[in-house]
Each structure stands twice: as structure tokens, then as C-alpha cells.
Amino acid sequence: MTTKLISGTGLQLLRRYDNRAESVRAQLLDDDGPAYVQVFVNILRDIFKEETVEYVLALIDEMLTANLKRARLFHDKSLADEDTYEPFLSCDLSSKVLVTMWSADMVALERQLVHTRKELQDTCLDSKDGVVANGENSKKKGTTINDVLKELVEWLCTQLKKPSHPTCGIPTAINCLASLLKEPVVRSSFVQADGVKLLIPLITPASTQQSIQLLYETCLCVWLLSYYEPAIEYLATSRALPRLVDVVRSSTKEKVVRVVVLTFRNLLSKGTFGAQMVDLGLPQIVQSLKAQAWSDEDLLEALNHLEDGLKDNIKKLSSFDKYKQEVLLGHLDWSPMHKDPLFWRDNVSCFEENDFQVLRVLITIMETSSDPRALAVACFDLSQFIQHHPAGRVIVNDLKAKERVMKLMNHDSAEVTKNALLCIQRLFLGVLYSRSSSVEMADISIGYFIANMSKEE
């Protein structure tokens, strides 16, 4: 008060409030809440002594923890000429005080962030025009909600990149984002700040309670972003999906599994996510999860919904037209249809079209392609045709495929040799064969194993 950093009235209000019972403080706030808010804001704006700032932040924390509706006091009409957010977000405060507080009192900083966040959300519910000018007739331009959120989001992204505190910086930032991202305007600011990519490295199986909580809140952020198209576009080109699958495969924490499954449900119908989920083995994981005892009904419902959606995707991915296009283009890969027994059972007769055109192209790929993956898939598909078509063995022999497959049994790629052997086995063992065929098959198997022993040596 001597240095005129606080008024006599402000000091008197603080003396009434300090070290009082909650019931007394509640009454003081009911009677003169905006005046106390003004004192708090003035101190945060004008004083930079660490102990003083921590003290006032603690008072605000206790005030809002006792009754979150008191956040409305920060936007009372009597504070029309005050920008109540400015002290929380000013550069001076951030640089001179907050960085120091990371090492001095992490709790105080977390309180400031959390309750700034709560104030924002509380105000957003009541504001129609999205402006937090504290009174329509304010003489100076007030800080808008978007201004506050944008600056806060940028600061949180900075903490994810270069945390000011080695152990608390990232968890605190994620904790705040897990709540803030409920607001559409925050999702927009977060994507514009290129924040989505900062979440991806944090999606990793966890073991300790602290890392489990961080994982849960990170996945919660991703779930909230799965409702926002620009964020979905980024997730589609990142490693987010494989990481989420790894998490749900290994996690036993129900809340983690729940939020990841809900994220899958949101993404299932978007772009190529459904196909990617099938490729990553999610249908089998869902079956395993359904067999476990979960208490959360929402999780069980989401698993059933996800299972049905994945089945539909498998059907779409297993159409013969899609398969035919893949073969004719020569772009063979382990897409779901290749190993789906239903695809072969339902579509094997389609291979007869155009004088076995697709089958002939498969055999040509075996002879001309230099891609080990394409060769392995071609051998596997030929073995599937032999197994499922009534005359498969005869047709493949007539097309003179046996010699080409046998050459591949000495290929440098173990994947190619394995599938070539499978094809040869089915070619000779698809029907009852003669003794000479048995001998030939034995010679082939022995040759295969000798060749592979040589590679190992």
C-alpha cells in the first residue's frame, strides 16, 4: 500500500478475507464478489513478487474450487472497464512469474491454468456473441474468448514442445487440453497451431499410474479431435491409428480402452480408417476385448458397434472388383481380402471370367515382378484358388504355373519361399495323388529345406 501497488480499500478487503473459514469467505463473496475479483486481478497485473502471485492464485483456486459458478464474478458488469483475462495471459506475467513458478510451486501454476480454463468454459456457456468485454459499453476493447483461447492453446503447445518443467509440464498441458478441446473454437486453434502432431508421440502403452493417466488424457484429446474434420485429416496421415491399436491391444485400464474404442467408432466411417483398422488386425482385437468382463455399458455398446462396422468394411474390401483391379495393376499387397476365407469361397468362380484373365495375370506377375511382396501374395492367391476351386489344380497345371512357382522356392525372400512352398503343396496335394506325385512332392520339400538351410548358413 505504501508503494501504491494496492489501495487502502483493497488491503481492507484482503484482511477481511485472509485466513477466514469457508463460510465467512462465501458470505463476503456473496456480498461483494466483484470487488474481491478486482483486487485479485489488480494484484496479478501490478505485482510480480513470486510469493504474492502464488498467494493470490491460491485464493482464486480456493474460491473457484468451492463454487465454480463464481467464475461469473470475473465478468460482472461492474468490471466493465477491466480486462480480467489480461493478467493471466500477459507476456510479463508469463515470462517473469510463471516460468519461475514451474520450479518453485508447480501446483500454483496448474491451479492458474485449470481455473483460467474453467472460467473460459463457464463464460462460453453464457456468452452469445463470444466476446468477454466486461460490459457492452466498455470504454476499451475487451479480450474476446477467441483471443484468450488462442493464446492459451499456443502456450500449451509450447509446453508440449519444450516443457518448462521436466516432469510436470507435459502432464499439466495435456490435462488442460483434455478439457479445453471440448470447445469447437479450441479444436480449431489447436489444429492451426499444429498441435495434433504433438499428441502422437504420447500415445504409447503405459505401465505406471502417472503414465496411465497421461495416456488416458492424451487419448481423450484425440477422441475430442475425432469430432473435428480438419483434425481427422491430420490423424489420417499420421501414426495415430497404429499407436492407438497398440494401446488398446495391451491396455487393461478400462477408461483407456473405453476412450480409444470410442475414438475408433468415430473414425470408422471416415476416409480409409476402416480399411486401415482391418489391416491392423482390429477385428480380432475387438473379439478379444468383447470376451473380457467390462463394467462400462458404453464400452460394451461401442465394441458391438465397432465390430459391426468392421464387418461391413471387410465386405467392402473383399469385393472381387477391387481385387481384380489390384491384380491387373500389379499392386499386390496383403490387403484383407487375400486372407479372408469368405472372399475365396464367395468369389472363386469369378476367376473364370475372360478365360481366367485374373489367374493368368497372377502367373505373369510371378514371372516378371521384382517385388518380393507381390510375388509372395501372388503365390498365396494361387494356392487359395487351388484350394477353393473344384478344378483348381487342373486349371493351374494347364496354365503351366507349376514351373514358375517352383523357381520362386529358391528366392532370397523368406516370405516368397514360404508362400511358394504352400502353393506347390496344394498343387500336389489338392487331390489324391499317385505314388510318383508323392515322390516328386518329397523331392520338392527336401530341396526347399536344403535351400533355406544354405541361406541361413
Short mmCIF file of all heavy atoms in Angstrom, two decimals, residues 322-355:
data_model
loop_
_atom_site.label_atom_id
_atom_site.label_comp_id
_atom_site.label_asym_id
_atom_site.label_seq_id
_atom_site.Cartn_x
_atom_site.Cartn_y
_atom_site.Cartn_z
N LYS A 322 -12.63 -54.99 -56.63
CA LYS A 322 -11.47 -54.34 -56.01
C LYS A 322 -10.24 -55.24 -56.14
O LYS A 322 -9.14 -54.77 -56.46
CB LYS A 322 -11.76 -54.04 -54.55
CG LYS A 322 -10.63 -53.32 -53.82
CD LYS A 322 -11.03 -52.99 -52.40
CE LYS A 322 -9.88 -52.34 -51.65
NZ LYS A 322 -9.54 -51.02 -52.19
N TYR A 323 -10.44 -56.52 -55.93
CA TYR A 323 -9.34 -57.48 -56.04
C TYR A 323 -8.80 -57.52 -57.47
O TYR A 323 -7.59 -57.48 -57.70
CB TYR A 323 -9.81 -58.86 -55.62
CG TYR A 323 -8.77 -59.94 -55.85
CD1 TYR A 323 -7.76 -60.16 -54.93
CD2 TYR A 323 -8.79 -60.71 -57.01
CE1 TYR A 323 -6.79 -61.13 -55.14
CE2 TYR A 323 -7.83 -61.69 -57.24
CZ TYR A 323 -6.84 -61.89 -56.30
OH TYR A 323 -5.88 -62.84 -56.52
N LYS A 324 -9.72 -57.56 -58.42
CA LYS A 324 -9.33 -57.63 -59.83
C LYS A 324 -8.51 -56.40 -60.22
O LYS A 324 -7.49 -56.53 -60.91
CB LYS A 324 -10.59 -57.72 -60.69
CG LYS A 324 -10.31 -57.82 -62.19
CD LYS A 324 -11.63 -57.97 -62.96
CE LYS A 324 -11.37 -58.03 -64.46
NZ LYS A 324 -12.65 -58.17 -65.22
N GLN A 325 -8.94 -55.23 -59.77
CA GLN A 325 -8.22 -54.01 -60.07
C GLN A 325 -6.80 -54.06 -59.50
O GLN A 325 -5.82 -53.66 -60.15
CB GLN A 325 -8.96 -52.80 -59.52
CG GLN A 325 -8.29 -51.47 -59.84
CD GLN A 325 -9.04 -50.29 -59.24
OE1 GLN A 325 -9.78 -50.45 -58.28
NE2 GLN A 325 -8.85 -49.12 -59.80
N GLU A 326 -6.68 -54.58 -58.29
CA GLU A 326 -5.38 -54.68 -57.64
C GLU A 326 -4.44 -55.58 -58.43
O GLU A 326 -3.27 -55.26 -58.64
CB GLU A 326 -5.56 -55.23 -56.22
CG GLU A 326 -4.28 -55.33 -55.42
CD GLU A 326 -4.50 -55.92 -54.04
OE1 GLU A 326 -5.47 -55.51 -53.36
OE2 GLU A 326 -3.71 -56.80 -53.63
N VAL A 327 -4.98 -56.71 -58.92
CA VAL A 327 -4.16 -57.66 -59.67
C VAL A 327 -3.76 -57.09 -61.02
O VAL A 327 -2.59 -57.14 -61.43
CB VAL A 327 -4.91 -59.00 -59.85
CG1 VAL A 327 -4.12 -59.93 -60.78
CG2 VAL A 327 -5.12 -59.68 -58.50
N LEU A 328 -4.73 -56.52 -61.75
CA LEU A 328 -4.45 -56.01 -63.08
C LEU A 328 -3.45 -54.86 -63.06
O LEU A 328 -2.70 -54.65 -64.02
CB LEU A 328 -5.76 -55.56 -63.75
CG LEU A 328 -6.77 -56.68 -64.04
CD1 LEU A 328 -8.00 -56.12 -64.74
CD2 LEU A 328 -6.14 -57.78 -64.88
N LEU A 329 -3.44 -54.09 -61.97
CA LEU A 329 -2.47 -53.01 -61.83
C LEU A 329 -1.11 -53.52 -61.35
O LEU A 329 -0.12 -52.79 -61.37
CB LEU A 329 -2.99 -51.95 -60.86
CG LEU A 329 -4.19 -51.11 -61.34
CD1 LEU A 329 -4.70 -50.22 -60.22
CD2 LEU A 329 -3.80 -50.27 -62.55
N GLY A 330 -1.08 -54.77 -60.90
CA GLY A 330 0.16 -55.35 -60.41
C GLY A 330 0.56 -54.87 -59.03
O GLY A 330 1.70 -55.08 -58.59
N HIS A 331 -0.37 -54.20 -58.31
CA HIS A 331 -0.06 -53.64 -56.99
C HIS A 331 -0.51 -54.61 -55.89
O HIS A 331 -1.44 -54.33 -55.13
CB HIS A 331 -0.75 -52.29 -56.81
CG HIS A 331 -0.29 -51.27 -57.78
ND1 HIS A 331 -1.02 -50.14 -58.10
CD2 HIS A 331 0.86 -51.19 -58.53
CE1 HIS A 331 -0.36 -49.42 -58.99
NE2 HIS A 331 0.78 -50.04 -59.27
N LEU A 332 0.10 -55.76 -55.83
CA LEU A 332 -0.31 -56.77 -54.85
C LEU A 332 0.27 -56.47 -53.48
O LEU A 332 1.46 -56.20 -53.34
CB LEU A 332 0.15 -58.16 -55.30
CG LEU A 332 -0.54 -58.73 -56.55
CD1 LEU A 332 0.00 -60.11 -56.86
CD2 LEU A 332 -2.05 -58.80 -56.38
N ASP A 333 -0.61 -56.53 -52.47
CA ASP A 333 -0.18 -56.34 -51.09
C ASP A 333 -1.13 -57.16 -50.22
O ASP A 333 -2.15 -57.66 -50.68
CB ASP A 333 -0.23 -54.86 -50.70
CG ASP A 333 0.70 -54.55 -49.53
OD1 ASP A 333 1.16 -55.51 -48.88
OD2 ASP A 333 0.96 -53.37 -49.28
N TRP A 334 -0.81 -57.26 -48.92
CA TRP A 334 -1.62 -58.09 -48.03
C TRP A 334 -2.87 -57.34 -47.57
O TRP A 334 -3.08 -57.13 -46.39
CB TRP A 334 -0.81 -58.54 -46.82
CG TRP A 334 0.30 -59.51 -47.15
CD1 TRP A 334 1.62 -59.30 -47.02
CD2 TRP A 334 0.15 -60.83 -47.65
NE1 TRP A 334 2.33 -60.40 -47.43
CE2 TRP A 334 1.44 -61.37 -47.82
CE3 TRP A 334 -0.95 -61.62 -48.00
CZ2 TRP A 334 1.67 -62.64 -48.31
CZ3 TRP A 334 -0.72 -62.90 -48.49
CH2 TRP A 334 0.57 -63.40 -48.64
N SER A 335 -3.69 -56.90 -48.51
CA SER A 335 -4.97 -56.29 -48.15
C SER A 335 -5.89 -57.39 -47.59
O SER A 335 -5.68 -58.58 -47.84
CB SER A 335 -5.60 -55.59 -49.35
OG SER A 335 -5.64 -56.44 -50.48
N PRO A 336 -6.94 -57.02 -46.84
CA PRO A 336 -7.72 -58.01 -46.09
C PRO A 336 -8.30 -59.15 -46.92
O PRO A 336 -8.39 -60.28 -46.45
CB PRO A 336 -8.85 -57.15 -45.48
CG PRO A 336 -8.27 -55.79 -45.38
CD PRO A 336 -7.36 -55.64 -46.55
N MET A 337 -8.68 -58.86 -48.17
CA MET A 337 -9.38 -59.89 -48.96
C MET A 337 -8.53 -61.13 -49.20
O MET A 337 -9.05 -62.24 -49.32
CB MET A 337 -9.85 -59.31 -50.28
CG MET A 337 -8.74 -58.93 -51.23
SD MET A 337 -9.35 -57.98 -52.63
CE MET A 337 -9.37 -56.34 -51.92
N HIS A 338 -7.22 -60.98 -49.28
CA HIS A 338 -6.36 -62.11 -49.63
C HIS A 338 -6.47 -63.26 -48.61
O HIS A 338 -6.44 -64.43 -48.99
CB HIS A 338 -4.90 -61.65 -49.74
CG HIS A 338 -4.67 -60.69 -50.85
ND1 HIS A 338 -4.50 -61.06 -52.16
CD2 HIS A 338 -4.61 -59.33 -50.85
CE1 HIS A 338 -4.33 -60.00 -52.92
NE2 HIS A 338 -4.39 -58.92 -52.15
N LYS A 339 -6.57 -62.88 -47.33
CA LYS A 339 -6.60 -63.92 -46.30
C LYS A 339 -7.99 -64.14 -45.71
O LYS A 339 -8.12 -64.75 -44.65
CB LYS A 339 -5.61 -63.56 -45.19
CG LYS A 339 -4.15 -63.56 -45.68
CD LYS A 339 -3.16 -63.41 -44.55
CE LYS A 339 -1.73 -63.50 -45.06
NZ LYS A 339 -0.73 -63.41 -43.97
N ASP A 340 -9.01 -63.63 -46.40
CA ASP A 340 -10.37 -63.79 -45.92
C ASP A 340 -10.99 -65.02 -46.59
O ASP A 340 -11.28 -65.00 -47.80
CB ASP A 340 -11.19 -62.54 -46.25
CG ASP A 340 -12.62 -62.65 -45.77
OD1 ASP A 340 -12.92 -63.58 -44.98
OD2 ASP A 340 -13.46 -61.82 -46.17
N PRO A 341 -11.24 -66.11 -45.84
CA PRO A 341 -11.81 -67.33 -46.45
C PRO A 341 -13.14 -67.07 -47.15
O PRO A 341 -13.45 -67.71 -48.17
CB PRO A 341 -11.99 -68.27 -45.24
CG PRO A 341 -11.03 -67.76 -44.22
CD PRO A 341 -10.98 -66.28 -44.41
N LEU A 342 -13.94 -66.16 -46.61
CA LEU A 342 -15.24 -65.85 -47.22
C LEU A 342 -15.07 -65.28 -48.63
O LEU A 342 -15.87 -65.56 -49.53
CB LEU A 342 -16.01 -64.86 -46.35
CG LEU A 342 -16.52 -65.39 -45.01
CD1 LEU A 342 -17.19 -64.27 -44.21
CD2 LEU A 342 -17.51 -66.53 -45.23
N PHE A 343 -14.04 -64.46 -48.82
CA PHE A 343 -13.80 -63.89 -50.14
C PHE A 343 -13.56 -64.99 -51.16
O PHE A 343 -14.15 -64.98 -52.26
CB PHE A 343 -12.60 -62.94 -50.09
CG PHE A 343 -12.11 -62.54 -51.45
CD1 PHE A 343 -12.80 -61.62 -52.20
CD2 PHE A 343 -10.96 -63.12 -51.99
CE1 PHE A 343 -12.36 -61.25 -53.47
CE2 PHE A 343 -10.51 -62.76 -53.26
CZ PHE A 343 -11.21 -61.83 -54.00
N TRP A 344 -12.72 -65.94 -50.83
CA TRP A 344 -12.40 -67.01 -51.78
C TRP A 344 -13.59 -67.94 -52.00
O TRP A 344 -13.85 -68.37 -53.12
CB TRP A 344 -11.18 -67.79 -51.28
CG TRP A 344 -9.94 -66.96 -51.34
CD1 TRP A 344 -9.36 -66.28 -50.32
CD2 TRP A 344 -9.19 -66.65 -52.52
NE1 TRP A 344 -8.26 -65.58 -50.77
CE2 TRP A 344 -8.12 -65.79 -52.12
CE3 TRP A 344 -9.29 -67.03 -53.85
CZ2 TRP A 344 -7.19 -65.30 -53.02
CZ3 TRP A 344 -8.34 -66.55 -54.76
CH2 TRP A 344 -7.31 -65.69 -54.35
N ARG A 345 -14.31 -68.24 -50.96
CA ARG A 345 -15.47 -69.13 -51.10
C ARG A 345 -16.56 -68.48 -51.97
O ARG A 345 -17.19 -69.15 -52.79
CB ARG A 345 -16.03 -69.47 -49.73
CG ARG A 345 -17.08 -70.59 -49.77
CD ARG A 345 -17.46 -71.02 -48.37
NE ARG A 345 -18.15 -69.96 -47.65
CZ ARG A 345 -17.95 -69.68 -46.37
NH1 ARG A 345 -17.05 -70.36 -45.68
NH2 ARG A 345 -18.62 -68.72 -45.77
N ASP A 346 -16.75 -67.16 -51.77
CA ASP A 346 -17.85 -66.47 -52.47
C ASP A 346 -17.46 -66.04 -53.88
O ASP A 346 -18.35 -65.84 -54.73
CB ASP A 346 -18.30 -65.24 -51.68
CG ASP A 346 -18.91 -65.60 -50.33
OD1 ASP A 346 -19.28 -66.77 -50.15
OD2 ASP A 346 -18.99 -64.70 -49.46
N ASN A 347 -16.15 -65.88 -54.15
CA ASN A 347 -15.74 -65.28 -55.42
C ASN A 347 -14.87 -66.16 -56.29
O ASN A 347 -14.44 -65.71 -57.36
CB ASN A 347 -14.98 -63.97 -55.14
CG ASN A 347 -15.84 -62.91 -54.48
OD1 ASN A 347 -16.72 -62.33 -55.11
ND2 ASN A 347 -15.59 -62.64 -53.22
N VAL A 348 -14.61 -67.39 -55.89
CA VAL A 348 -13.67 -68.21 -56.66
C VAL A 348 -14.16 -68.45 -58.08
O VAL A 348 -13.36 -68.53 -59.02
CB VAL A 348 -13.40 -69.55 -55.93
CG1 VAL A 348 -14.62 -70.46 -55.98
CG2 VAL A 348 -12.16 -70.23 -56.50
N SER A 349 -15.47 -68.49 -58.28
CA SER A 349 -16.00 -68.71 -59.63
C SER A 349 -15.76 -67.50 -60.53
O SER A 349 -15.74 -67.62 -61.76
CB SER A 349 -17.50 -69.03 -59.59
OG SER A 349 -18.21 -67.95 -59.00
N CYS A 350 -15.57 -66.33 -59.93
CA CYS A 350 -15.33 -65.11 -60.71
C CYS A 350 -14.00 -65.17 -61.45
O CYS A 350 -13.79 -64.44 -62.43
CB CYS A 350 -15.37 -63.88 -59.82
SG CYS A 350 -16.97 -63.58 -59.02
N PHE A 351 -13.10 -66.04 -60.98
CA PHE A 351 -11.80 -66.16 -61.63
C PHE A 351 -11.93 -66.76 -63.03
O PHE A 351 -10.99 -66.70 -63.83
CB PHE A 351 -10.86 -67.02 -60.78
CG PHE A 351 -10.28 -66.29 -59.60
CD1 PHE A 351 -11.01 -66.11 -58.44
CD2 PHE A 351 -8.99 -65.77 -59.65
CE1 PHE A 351 -10.48 -65.44 -57.35
CE2 PHE A 351 -8.45 -65.10 -58.57
CZ PHE A 351 -9.20 -64.92 -57.41
N GLU A 352 -13.08 -67.36 -63.34
CA GLU A 352 -13.28 -67.99 -64.66
C GLU A 352 -13.56 -66.96 -65.75
O GLU A 352 -13.52 -67.30 -66.93
CB GLU A 352 -14.43 -68.99 -64.56
CG GLU A 352 -14.16 -70.11 -63.57
CD GLU A 352 -15.37 -71.01 -63.37
OE1 GLU A 352 -16.37 -70.81 -64.12
OE2 GLU A 352 -15.34 -71.89 -62.49
N GLU A 353 -13.84 -65.71 -65.35
CA GLU A 353 -14.19 -64.67 -66.33
C GLU A 353 -13.04 -64.42 -67.30
O GLU A 353 -11.86 -64.47 -66.92
CB GLU A 353 -14.54 -63.36 -65.61
CG GLU A 353 -15.76 -63.45 -64.69
CD GLU A 353 -15.97 -62.17 -63.90
OE1 GLU A 353 -15.14 -61.24 -64.03
OE2 GLU A 353 -16.95 -62.11 -63.13
N ASN A 354 -13.42 -64.16 -68.58
CA ASN A 354 -12.44 -63.81 -69.62
C ASN A 354 -11.30 -64.82 -69.70
O ASN A 354 -10.13 -64.45 -69.76
CB ASN A 354 -11.87 -62.40 -69.37
CG ASN A 354 -12.94 -61.33 -69.41
OD1 ASN A 354 -13.87 -61.39 -70.21
ND2 ASN A 354 -12.80 -60.35 -68.52
N ASP A 355 -11.70 -66.10 -69.72
CA ASP A 355 -10.73 -67.19 -69.86
C ASP A 355 -9.64 -67.11 -68.77
O ASP A 355 -8.44 -67.16 -69.05
CB ASP A 355 -10.09 -67.15 -71.26
CG ASP A 355 -9.27 -68.40 -71.55
OD1 ASP A 355 -9.56 -69.45 -70.93
OD2 ASP A 355 -8.34 -68.31 -72.37
#
